[in-house]
Amino acid sequence: KDDPLLALAFKLEETPFGQLTYMRVYQGMLKKGNQIVNVNDGKKIKLARIVRMHSDEMEDIEEAHAGDVVAMFGIDCRSMDTFSDGNLNLAMSSMFVPDAVMSLAIKPAQTKMQNNFAKALNKFTKEDPTLRVRVDAETKETIISGMGELHLEVYIERMKREYNVEVVSGKPNVNYKETITSKATFDWLHK
């Protein structure tokens, strides 16, 4: 109880009330009304509401101790962020995330949906460390990479269902470049 707080956000969920962050307390205590610090980015957050989840029901609690798994609203963070009470500057090691095995080029079917498309990708990369998003510098395509075809299709379907964004997907384009690889002799007179 007297130890400084050390907690890890391990799951993020979007609800009608905002982002619900699931957190495991490893040391110390979380108390409603207290301020906690995201060790990864230094942001301070006041705990307005702490809940214990039972299936799909929420039970409001005043405090959580080491070993408890709780959920909180209003905490803007990424999955696997470490939190402390400000007295401890330790970051918990994140889980091992293997390299992506498959990539898809995606774009919204309608350009007017670009804003929702960007919001969806931002949210999905926050909640899933295995999903990677980048814009190819040469082809200007948005590339998503993940753990397989099903993994990427789930996110494309979620964009359609949660953000009302139809997505066009396909294989990423490859820029072909030519270069001189060996010496060649020639005899030419320009007239």
Side-chain angles (χ1 to χ4, degrees), residues 170-181:
K171 292 180 183 174
N173 287 329
V174 177
N175 260 3
Y176 292 101
K177 296 180 179 179
E178 294 181 9
T179 186
I180 299 169
T181 59

Side-chain angles (χ1 to χ4, degrees), residues 14-106:
E14 196 65 36
T15 69
F17 310 108
Q19 179 176 294
L20 182 64
T21 304
Y22 289 85
M23 200 173 289
R24 166 104 191 248
V25 181
Y26 284 91
Q27 173 181 300
M29 179 176 73
L30 280 172
K31 192 170 185 171
K32 187 176 170 181
N34 281 4
Q35 201 171 56
I36 60 173
V37 177
N38 185 336
V39 175
N40 300 57
D41 62 14
K43 288 184 184 172
K44 293 181 179 180
I45 301 136
K46 186 171 183 177
L47 297 176
R49 185 177 180 199
I50 304 172
V51 295
R52 181 171 284 125
M53 300 297 290
H54 298 284
S55 182
D56 61 345
E57 295 176 11
M58 295 181 201
E59 173 195 345
D60 281 293
I61 59 174
E62 292 297 314
E63 57 186 41
H65 302 279
D68 290 348
V69 174
V70 294
M72 289 165 274
F73 287 102
I75 296 183
D76 184 32
C77 67
R78 300 180 75 83
S79 184
M80 306 312 285
D81 275 0
T82 303
F83 289 86
S84 80
D85 53 10
N87 299 329
L88 202 59
N89 196 17
L90 294 176
M92 298 184 72
S93 60
S94 185
M95 66 179 183
F96 170 72
V97 180
D99 291 333
V101 295
M102 184 175 177
S103 296
L104 280 177
I106 60 171

